[in-house]
Amino acid sequence: MLNRFPEDYLDSLAAGDFTPRPSVSGRLSSYDGLLMEAIGVSLPVGTVCAIGTGDARVEAEVIGFRGGKTLMMNLGGPAALLPNAPVRPIGAPGEAEVGGALLGRVVDGAGKPIDGLGPIRGAGRWPLAGKLQSPLDRGRVLQPMDVGVRAINGLLTIGQGQRVGIMAGSGVGKSVLLGMMVRAAEAEVVVIGLIGERSREVSDFLETKVAGAARARSVVVAVPANHSPVLRIRGALRATAIAEAFRAEGKKVLLIMDSLTRVAHAGREIGLALGEPASARGYPPSAIAMLPGLIERAGTDVASGGSITAIYTVLADGDDGNDPVVDSARSILDGHIVLSRALAERGVYPAIDLGPSVSRVMTDIAGPAHLHAARVLRRHLATYEENRDLVLMGAYRAGADAEIDAAIACHPAVMEYIRQGSDEIVSLPDAVAELTGVFGDG
């Protein structure tokens, strides 16, 4: 009967390229609700593992090592785990799905779609940590970007490839300002990372600020505040990786991250769980050191001609401008927009405080007449604010100082220029024309 088989039949059964691979498995030795310790398994940092079996199964990510044990952090909610539960690796570290297949979609920190539109097919792959670039691979910021907000277009002009921070305390209008910019920004792709915000804000942002045509060119990565700190950091890395992949295709990308402070908070939770010493305001060194690595990935790419214009919201806890995250972000970014609670209380929206706000590339992308008019408006506003108390008390006598008289006369026009309705769009040419028309002769 064996003669019926071809002579090479038995040889064909042996796969020449087969390489035996051992099944890697360990045991759970410690779990305190967030941090897990496993023994009997050695895996690279970033590897995703499955712990437990059946309904008690939970996923965790390797974050470090200590005393011969592998440290992991829970990626989900509470689980009914038992001592010595099996620990098995299920995912290699560090890749994100990217490409045109993600346009119009909403994913979570693990890259899983949460919009009910089915699986994402045909996506490419990109390292979560990005691809290291030489400083000479980054181009200069030479072209302005229209964001549809008059005060920003005219006085804090943003360039393609610039990194900008919107800094303010809670409830001053950061998310509303972001929505205005998303609707009007002249970008081919908009990548939005909603990191550590309220779940209600995620659905509200999608339905009101990323609706209609804006949704078709947008990718949203949503990781609410009740998710694991590891997932929050992964969400920020994933949003940046998606933007980098589009930039490599030569596209003009607008990356919006709300908020950078929640990413730092997640880093603080992980650092403290690992036993790092707390320094300024309870932040371990690793939480602050993580921010430059994230922010520096945005910018212009000389090779592809694409750019990532990044706008990060930075929450100033207690309206403290010297908060470690605020101070660190200010030193890394190419500009910052400060929102004032005092202006918001007076009903001035967007509540942009022009004094401490600055765009470090505006002199490279704006014309001389534009720059002159912006300086005149700033000078009038600064003079008025310095003497505001005297004017309100009636202690200033008209004619005593020509600069103060000019500042008082121009103040209504200054405030009218800053004010803008949340559903109003003012293009860059219109904002510049209005600014030079009113303040160009000052």
Side-chain angles (χ1 to χ4, degrees), residues 118-141:
I120 298 172
R121 305 185 187 279
R125 313 294 292 183
W126 192 271
L128 271 178
K131 298 180 181 179
L132 189 62
Q133 285 186 306
S134 163
L136 297 181
D137 293 335
R138 295 295 178 87
R140 295 180 60 200
V141 179

Side-chain angles (χ1 to χ4, degrees), residues 140-173:
R140 295 180 60 200
V141 179
L142 299 174
Q143 297 295 326
M145 171 174 276
D146 189 349
V147 295
V149 181
R150 179 170 46 230
I152 297 176
N153 281 340
L155 304 170
L156 301 164
T157 311
I158 292 176
Q160 294 177 9
Q162 185 177 357
R163 291 86 52 86
V164 183
I166 299 178
M167 303 175 176
S170 57
V172 186

